């Protein structure tokens, strides 16, 4: 863009690989299918270059907004096809009506392609409306225009989005279960003789009886043991078993 801007501003340039400056006096006719004002706002096109080439702008509306031009252009392309191929193909009235109802997002080039395809695939010298691709659901451009909001995979292509294919990942092979031999549970060790006597004595003693004896002994464990014919260790075990808190008097 900067090199073109210099040609427009200074009227001079150098050839590729050359060092001599060449003066020129030209008129520039530029065409684009993009919105340059939007490109300038986005920083994609130089504003100073835009103001130098946009001297006499001519906005050409799309073909779908110029319905009256479709039929004469279609006839022009049909005459050109007949001249190039030595044929005498004609369009029926319903074929022209169908073409005039199309949107043609590809504008004049798409119209020319549509006419050439219909003339080449026609079985006779007259192309009927039902023979057109748009009447048979085989017109991709019609789908692109109808679904350009992105509501389908074709619409997604129309607005430039990529379609991510669904990839099926095979499931990993299932290995057969491995038999696991349970480890033997060790048997509990037999209790010692003193432990057996300790549990036997406390099992024969109730909580109420133990509290009554402890109160009589003034909460002295040794004295309570003598009254019950037990050892102090057995009394301590019984107090812990019944969750009795020793009182201090």
């Amino acid at each position: 863009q900067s090199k073109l801007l210099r040609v427009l501003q200074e009227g001079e340039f150098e050839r590729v690989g050359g060092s001599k400056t060449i003066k020129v006096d030209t008129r520039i006719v530029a065409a684009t299918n993009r919105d340059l004002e939007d490109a300038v706002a986005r920083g994609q096109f130089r504003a100073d270059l835009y103001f130098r080439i946009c001297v006499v702008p001519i906005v050409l509306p799309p073909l779908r907004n110029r319905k009256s031009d479709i039929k004469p252009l279609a006839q022009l392309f049909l005459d050109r096809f007949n001249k190039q191929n030595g044929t005498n193909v004609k369009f029926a009235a319903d074929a022209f009506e169908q073409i005039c109802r199309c949107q043609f997002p590809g504008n004049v080039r798409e119209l020319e392609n549509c006419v050439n395809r219909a003339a080449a695939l026609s079985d006779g010298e007259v192309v009927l409306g039902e023979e057109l691709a748009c009447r048979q659901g085989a017109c991709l451009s019609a789908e692109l225009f109808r679904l350009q909001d992105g509501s389908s995979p074709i619409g997604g292509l129309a607005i430039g989005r990529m379609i991510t294919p669904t990839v099926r990942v095979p499931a990993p092979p299932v290995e057969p279960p491995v038999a696991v031999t349970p480890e033997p549970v060790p048997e509990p060790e037999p209790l010692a003789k003193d432990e057996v006597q300790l549990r036997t004595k406390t099992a024969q003693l109730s909580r109420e009886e133990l509290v009554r004896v402890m109160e009589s002994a003034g909460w002295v464990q040794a004295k309570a043991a003598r009254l019950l014919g037990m050892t102090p260790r057995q009394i301590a075990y019984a107090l812990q078993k019944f969750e009795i808190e020793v009182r201090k008097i």
Side-chain angles (χ1 to χ4, degrees):
Q1 295 182 18
S2 60
K3 295 180 180 179
L4 180 58
L5 180 62
R6 181 193 172 195
V7 175
L8 296 176
Q9 181 69 27
E10 306 296 338
E12 59 184 25
F13 69 97
E14 289 87 22
R15 291 192 178 98
V16 177
S19 58
K20 182 180 179 181
T21 301
I22 301 176
K23 292 287 186 177
V24 293
D25 183 11
T26 61
R27 295 291 183 268
I28 303 297
V29 178
T32 181
N33 60 350
R34 297 187 179 183
D35 187 349
L36 291 185
E37 293 183 357
D38 181 67
V40 170
R42 293 175 178 270
Q44 300 174 351
F45 197 87
R46 294 183 57 145
D48 48 2
L49 177 58
Y50 171 74
F51 292 127
R52 281 170 175 79
I53 63 176
C54 187
V55 179
V56 183
I58 300 176
V59 179
L60 184 63
L63 186 59
R64 59 180 173 272
N65 295 339
R66 296 181 285 123
K67 295 292 186 179
S68 59
D69 292 347
I70 294 180
K71 185 175 181 179
L73 285 173
Q75 186 62 55
L76 173 65
F77 296 141
L78 184 60
D79 294 341
R80 184 183 300 174
F81 176 87
N82 289 329
K83 183 178 180 179
Q84 292 175 350
N85 296 276
T87 56
N88 189 26
V89 180
K90 299 178 181 179
F91 273 14
D94 63 335
F96 275 120
E97 292 177 359
Q98 179 62 38
I99 288 179
C100 291
R101 287 197 295 266
C102 294
Q103 301 297 332
F104 293 110
N107 291 303
V108 177
R109 290 187 181 90
E110 183 185 354
L111 173 60
E112 182 179 8
N113 177 272
C114 178
V115 171
N116 291 340
R117 177 173 55 186
L121 298 179
S122 177
D123 294 333
E125 293 186 352
V126 179
V127 178
L128 303 177
E130 60 186 18
E131 297 178 353
L132 297 177
C134 53
R135 288 286 294 273
Q136 300 175 4
C139 182
L140 177 61
S141 295
E143 290 297 313
L144 290 176
F145 185 83
R146 183 173 63 86
L147 302 175
Q148 62 184 345
D149 58 348
S151 58
S152 76
I154 296 181
L157 290 176
I159 60 176
R161 289 208 308 264
M162 294 185 64
I163 302 173
T164 303
T166 302
V167 180
R168 295 186 178 181
V169 180
V174 180
E175 298 181 358
V178 180
V180 180
T181 304
E183 297 182 359
V185 180
E187 297 182 358
E189 298 181 359
L191 298 175
K193 183 178 180 180
D194 294 343
E195 190 72 17
V196 174
Q197 293 178 353
L198 176 63
R199 296 192 178 186
T200 303
K201 286 280 187 180
T202 55
Q204 298 173 355
L205 184 65
S206 65
R207 189 178 191 280
E208 292 76 10
E209 183 180 2
L210 179 59
V211 172
R212 180 176 55 80
V213 173
M214 289 295 295
E215 290 178 348
S216 300
W219 292 95
V220 179
Q221 297 184 32
K223 187 176 180 180
R226 288 194 298 271
L227 293 175
L228 292 173
M230 300 171 63
T231 63
R233 180 168 174 265
Q234 291 174 335
I235 292 295
Y237 179 82
L239 292 172
Q240 182 181 4
K241 174 185 175 182
F242 294 121
E243 298 180 352
I244 299 174
E245 185 179 356
V246 179
R247 303 174 187 176
K248 295 182 180 181
I249 301 177

